[in-house]
Amino acid sequence: MVFSSYTFVFGFLPSTLLIYYLTNRYLGSNAALIILILCSLFFYGWWNPHFVWLIAVSIFFNFVLSAAVAAPVYSQNRKRYVLIMAIAGNLSLLGYFKYANFFTSNLNVLLNVEIAIGTIALPLAISFFTFQQIAFLVDAYRYGTRETNFLNYCLFIVFFPQLIAGPIVHHKEMMPQFHRAISKNITAKNLSIGLTIFSIGLFKKLFFADNLGEVCDEIFNNVSANGATFLESWLAALAFAGQIYFDFSAYSDMAVGLARIFGIRLPINFFSPYKALSIIDFWRRWHITLSRFLRDYVYIPLGGNRHGPARRFTNILVTMFLGGLWHGASWTFVLWGGLHGLFLVINHLWRAWCAKAGVTIRSRYGKLLGQLLTFVCVTVAWVLFRSTSFGEAGEILSGMAGLNGIILPAGVQGWCGSICVLLGDFGISFGTPGAFTVNGAGLIILSLAVAFVCPNTYEIMQGYRPVLDFRQWSFEKANIPKLFRWQPSVRYALITSVILVLVLISMATPKEFLYFEF
């Protein structure tokens, strides 16, 4: 069930809210807790009911072993053994469903054998609920984090607003909130704030992400047969850069909005990453909770920056390679992660050189250059992320470099005059540049203008603490015009209603969020 579907908007969501509200009011918070768990499991099972057993077994397995890991009566060595066994069990489950076919196919090529295990369906959200439970286990071992109530633990894992694609949350962030929120039931204030944030996310998904996806798919799906010229390649790369930005931004908004309806503030997971001034800054803004997980549970255990620059950079590369593999069982994802690791290493070396040389970049143009360079690097890397093979990625990247020919729209020729002859000497011709369209280019320009210039959802909603850790991003200091600061007033109720009506009218066949695949 997709957030941007009629089934969810008109069926599941209002039914869940009504049942939860009535249960909480007349039967109490314990009954409401059970209802929320059952509704979340129903939401998960809508995609494939056969995998409900899988998440149920995973929850029970981790709940039992987390109690052993945190038990004060056990020795530290015994706890460590239990932790290793628990993590191995989680990674084995993830490895079988997500990577078995990948490793088998590579083993067949490497050893020239024919090992066949059949097609293994990937359970929805297995990467997210596995990482979330591994984080809980490690926290139980390090800090003695415990959860003695099985129902509380179930809700911590299956809470439907963040179950499918995150954010990856910690027990200490969520459980105190669940207790408070369920005891207070749904309020008009939380309902209005949550629906506003949800509506903004729904608009991003339907207007920007899905339409940009069509522009991108038309080129990528035909690149093997027809190749891709300069304008087509950049159109495809920029369309995907916009698609994945607004797709993940939309999901993050909708998850935050849905959780807020219940009185829950999720940790921030997406904060205008295309406004980043460096790759380091980008990864502080993109998929923030995954970056936090990789830092706390991979990079730091590997040694972090404690053993000199060479070890630090190796740890960064290893962490990003694993981050790429987490996104998908394909070498294109692995290379995408490695490329970002290389970008991060270069960024750290640059910062070290600037500090040593006493160079500071504070000018407006210097920051603009840093933002533009970061965006170009990210966009080039997105080509690997989107491509289904290295050949496809190579074709698009070659086109972006102008190696497949540069064909400008014929209408431009009249503007160039005598320069056309000079352009011809550089291999630039005029005609019909394949899948390049004015509408597609216009949508890309509009989407990037919004991403680069406009305030994000959390800045618009800054007066109402939209996310858990909002002070970290200094919302109260954000220079947002008063016009763009949401208020619970008739004016903003009308604006939200208009947005919601427009997107609901345009809602057709629901398209899954890109991160549902990971």
Side-chain angles (χ1 to χ4, degrees), residues 24 67 234 239 258 285-286 294 336 356 476 487 515:
N24 201 332
W234 275 103
L258 291 169
R285 295 166 173 264
W286 178 275
L294 293 173
W336 170 80
K356 186 176 181 180
E476 64 274 13
Q487 298 287 336
Y515 267 78

Side-chain angles (χ1 to χ4, degrees), residues 190-249:
N190 285 331
L191 183 63
S192 62
I193 294 172
L195 285 178
T196 298
I197 297 174
F198 179 84
S199 299
I200 295 172
L202 188 60
F203 177 79
K204 290 178 181 178
K205 170 65 175 170
L206 295 177
F207 183 78
F208 286 112
D210 289 351
N211 288 319
L212 286 167
E214 293 179 3
V215 176
C216 174
D217 291 344
E218 183 179 356
I219 300 174
F220 269 96
N221 293 341
N222 296 295
V223 66
S224 298
N226 304 321
T229 60
F230 180 78
L231 284 180
E232 286 181 295
S233 299
W234 275 103
L235 188 76
L238 292 173
F240 183 70
Q243 179 194 6
I244 195 168
Y245 178 96
F246 282 101
D247 194 89
F248 196 33
S249 177

